[in-house]
Amino acid sequence: MSLRIVVCVKYVPDATGDRHFAEDLTLDRDDVDGLLSELDEYAVEQALQIADEADDAEITVLTVGPEDAKDALRKALSMGADKAVHVEDDDLHGTDALGTSLVLAKAVEKAGYDLVICGMASTDGTMGVLPAILAERLGVPQVTLLSEVSVEGGADGTVKGRRDGDTATEHLEASLPAVVSVTDQSGEARYPSFKGIMAAKKKPVTSWDLSDLDIEAEDVGLEGAWTKVDGAEERPARTAGTIVKDEGEGGKQLAAFLAERKFV
């Protein structure tokens, strides 16, 4: 039986761009370029490595987001994934992590899976909770924050991984099906080759909306969100710093400056 791997990826605003909130305190996506979350590239890479070691495997990349989120899918397909699923619906606007986990769970079940791989967090929300919530919704084991991951025994086997902490290293395993997340220490993600970019144009991308997943609009979006942004302010402009001129007392002046601000 083919090992079915689903990689959850996210289309996020470019962190180097000038980001703003819209009137409803959601991100103004029209005001900034987007891209595949860098942390999700590690998840795609680990899926590709697992597939390379398997006798038979198929990788599906899955995203929830606006029309432009297809760009994230194309990047993952050009890296080597086999097919993609895009969940897009106007009623998803403002969905929080809990709502997103519901949509992903329904989509993962509809797509069919043995192993779900996620990045450790998104580079915009950086909550890091979605893999655990997704596993709970699917009713399968979770093995999260892995710096090394492998699968033994194919679709009916086990997933094994190494989690590196500040004071200890844990070696974990779970029976499939399961959900795992990988860190940015799991291995450098490959760059898409020209051949991969051209091949990605012919790979299937399936589009689903909420009705395809039997999800009611009131369970997602801003109205269904369990978390909300109450307010936002522009970051204040940077002010000129303090210049300490060394005329023989520079060291003392610097020490006094740091001590006044309780840095030393």
Side-chain angles (χ1 to χ4, degrees):
M1 181 185 297
S2 175
L3 175 65
R4 300 167 299 172
I5 304 172
V6 177
V7 186
C8 297
V9 301
K10 189 176 184 183
Y11 180 72
V12 298
D14 189 341
T16 63
D18 190 12
R19 293 167 289 177
H20 301 281
F21 285 103
E23 291 185 3
D24 61 1
L25 294 179
T26 62
L27 179 68
D28 185 355
R29 288 185 175 271
D30 294 331
D31 200 36
V32 63
D33 292 332
L35 71 170
L36 171 61
S37 175
E38 179 183 357
L39 293 174
D40 291 340
E41 291 186 17
Y42 295 99
V44 176
E45 176 62 33
Q46 291 308 304
L48 293 170
Q49 292 190 24
I50 291 171
D52 287 342
E53 294 295 324
D55 294 332
D56 185 16
E58 182 179 63
I59 300 173
T60 301
V61 284
L62 165 64
T63 196
V64 178
E67 172 66 24
D68 290 343
K70 283 187 172 67
D71 291 343
L73 295 176
R74 293 189 185 99
K75 173 71 177 292
L77 291 173
S78 66
M79 291 173 67
D82 299 300
K83 58 182 181 178
V85 173
H86 180 203
V87 181
E88 179 188 7
D89 197 300
D90 290 342
D91 288 325
L92 285 168
H93 174 73
T95 302
D96 63 358
L98 280 168
T100 300
S101 71
L102 171 63
V103 178
L104 287 174
K106 293 284 190 178
V108 165
E109 289 176 332
K110 187 178 178 69
Y113 73 103
D114 299 301
L115 176 66
V116 180
I117 305 180
C118 306
M120 62 187 291
S122 62
T123 54
D124 54 353
T126 62
M127 294 184 67
V129 299
L130 194 142
I133 302 174
L134 178 58
E136 179 68 19
R137 288 194 182 276
L138 293 172
V140 300
Q142 56 166 303
V143 187
T144 55
L145 300 176
L146 301 180
S147 54
E148 182 180 280
V149 60
S150 63
V151 170
E152 296 182 2
D156 297 321
T158 60
V159 57
K160 297 184 177 182
R162 189 186 78 239
R163 179 190 294 155
D164 297 320
D166 293 334
T167 59
T169 294
E170 299 174 286
H171 294 273
L172 309 167
E173 68 175 75
S175 59
L176 297 179
V179 174
V180 305
S181 69
V182 298
T183 72
D184 54 358
Q185 301 302 309
S186 58
E188 195 70 26
R190 68 192 68 185
Y191 289 101
S193 63
F194 177 75
K195 181 179 179 181
I197 294 173
M198 297 305 294
K201 296 180 179 180
K202 299 180 180 180
K203 293 179 179 178
V205 178
T206 302
S207 295
W208 292 333
D209 59 18
L210 292 179
S211 64
D212 293 317
L213 302 175
D214 296 324
I215 297 175
E216 299 296 331
E218 57 265 27
D219 293 331
V220 294
L222 278 175
E223 294 304 316
W226 288 60
T227 56
K228 297 181 184 296
V229 178
D230 289 330
E233 297 179 2
E234 290 280 353
R235 178 181 297 174
R238 296 184 64 178
T239 58
T242 301
I243 299 176
V244 176
K245 294 183 179 180
D246 187 6
E247 297 176 349
E249 298 291 327
K252 293 181 179 179
Q253 293 181 53
L254 179 58
F257 176 84
L258 294 174
E260 181 183 350
R261 289 157 178 78
K262 298 182 179 180
F263 292 142
V264 294

